[in-house]
Amino acid sequence: MEPKRVSMADVAALAGVSGQTVSRVVNDSPRVDPATRARVEAAMRRLEYRPHRAARALRTGRTQTIGLVAATLATVGNSRMLQAVADAAASRGYALAVVTLGPSGAVGDAFEQLREQGVDGAIVLNEATRLAQDAVIPAGLALVVVDAPPDAAFGAARVGVIATDHAGGARAAIEHLLARGHARVHHIAGPEGSFAAAERERGWREALTTAGADIPDLVRGDWSSASGFCVARDLPADATAVFAANDQMALGALRALAESGRRVPDDVSVIGFDDIADSADYRPPLTTVRQDFDALGERALAMLVASIETGSATAPELMPAPLVVRASTRP
């Protein structure tokens, strides 16, 4: 015989509260004091209670499902953001539906696909945010975009914006190199059309301009280590400092420099961006700018839930990007 499904009444009895209180905890209502919430959540875990999603949707008009739109999941940054958003959603009891754009880049189609799945709102990642500004956003769909200007117009009132301080992180990287006596800092930039790449380039230019330093011609990759390797071979032979727009391209640059007989950091200092999990194990360990993907995912999800519950977008947020100094830079 199939085991009896644990009910909300069972949770209420174990926690010593009313069924209405359990309902408020399940629906993440702010009208529950922290101690009571903790007691109810403990009872839910002990009984292995799982809210009935369809029944809750009938009661609240919400499916407790959110969408995530990404241009691609092949990049390290996007895959890490997906994991962060998925973890944050699960911790709040939300299911996650993921849509990638593919070659067409049709964000409008992605929104329609998510609306057909009945999502309460969606998070749009990185490169897809630029495309979303020109898309028709379905009425009633709450959105949070990751990496866009704080004043970006999306043609809808319920769009929240969260971004990493890419320009500030890049400035810190360049200032670090200039303070160590490097007169010029070459830049391996990310792809054109990327908000993050443009902001990191802006920080690089601003730091050099403020210092009165020469601004050399940049070279541009596509975020991959292979592209970093290819374009780093075009750097001048007298380059002593390189700022790569992400850690993957920095890895390619390390290989190109090694193959040309140039030692890092003795001959050339190299800085990346993102602080991916492997960067501390590069040879040498990579000085880089940390982008906190876990915090980005948690805050993006929190902003989206707040927008779903209140019916209005939250204020834009800018996440710090601190410099992490390791062995790939020296005077």
Side-chain angles (χ1 to χ4, degrees):
M1 186 168 69
E2 188 174 330
K4 176 189 172 185
R5 181 184 180 90
V6 177
S7 69
M8 201 174 287
D10 297 327
V11 175
L14 180 60
V17 298
S18 67
Q20 186 178 36
T21 298
V22 176
S23 177
R24 286 174 179 164
V25 172
V26 167
N27 291 295
D28 206 21
S29 169
R31 297 172 58 193
V32 183
D33 70 81
T36 301
R37 182 183 298 276
R39 195 162 69 249
V40 171
E41 289 175 343
M44 291 167 63
R45 288 193 296 272
R46 181 175 172 184
L47 294 175
E48 298 184 350
Y49 171 74
R50 296 291 181 271
H52 194 285
R53 201 173 296 277
R56 182 164 54 187
L58 289 174
R59 291 194 311 272
T60 65
R62 301 175 191 159
T63 62
Q64 291 290 112
T65 301
I66 63 165
L68 182 140
V69 179
T72 175
L73 295 177
T75 63
V76 173
N78 281 4
S79 61
R80 285 188 61 185
M81 273 295 300
L82 169 61
Q83 185 66 57
V85 170
D87 291 343
S91 71
R92 287 175 173 259
Y94 277 79
L96 182 65
V98 179
V99 179
T100 55
L101 301 183
S104 68
V107 177
D109 292 346
F111 288 154
E112 287 298 326
Q113 184 176 338
L114 290 174
R115 186 172 69 168
E116 290 172 0
Q117 296 181 49
V119 301
D120 298 326
I123 294 172
V124 184
L125 292 189
N126 303 338
E127 287 82 0
T129 60
R130 178 179 58 84
L131 303 173
Q133 294 185 59
D134 300 322
V136 176
I137 300 173
L141 181 68
L143 280 183
V144 168
V145 297
V146 178
D147 274 354
D151 57 350
F154 287 88
R158 296 174 65 191
V159 178
V161 176
I162 184 169
T164 294
D165 187 6
H166 302 285
R171 282 193 297 271
I174 306 313
E175 289 165 358
H176 170 78
L177 292 168
L178 294 174
R180 279 149 182 75
H182 297 280
R184 307 177 82 203
V185 180
H186 293 266
H187 184 35
I188 300 176
E192 288 188 287
S194 163
F195 171 78
E199 285 294 283
R200 294 170 195 180
E201 180 185 337
R202 178 169 72 86
W204 167 72
R205 290 184 183 278
E206 287 178 353
L208 293 177
T209 300
T210 299
D214 181 39
I215 302 178
D217 292 337
L218 59 77
V219 292
R220 194 176 296 279
D222 63 6
W223 298 130
S224 69
S225 56
S227 72
F229 171 74
C230 289
V231 300
R233 292 183 297 182
D234 296 329
L235 293 172
D238 61 352
T240 65
V242 177
F243 168 53
N246 76 338
D247 291 348
Q248 293 294 103
M249 293 193 297
L251 174 61
L254 292 176
R255 176 190 164 200
L257 290 167
E259 290 190 1
S260 69
R262 309 191 68 196
R263 299 166 298 167
V264 176
D266 300 81
D267 302 319
V268 185
S269 288
V270 177
I271 294 182
F273 201 111
D274 285 339
D275 194 24
I276 64 173
D278 296 333
S279 62
D281 295 316
Y282 285 4
R283 186 175 181 185
L286 184 67
T287 296
T288 184
V289 179
R290 175 173 294 149
Q291 185 170 197
D292 194 336
F293 292 104
D294 292 340
L296 270 172
E298 291 166 3
R299 287 305 306 149
L301 194 281
M303 290 173 68
L304 183 61
V305 170
S307 180
I308 291 168
E309 293 181 349
T310 65
S312 60
T314 56
E317 294 189 19
L318 189 66
M319 303 290 288
L323 181 68
V324 180
V325 179
R326 298 194 181 103
S328 66
T329 56
R330 61 171 291 175

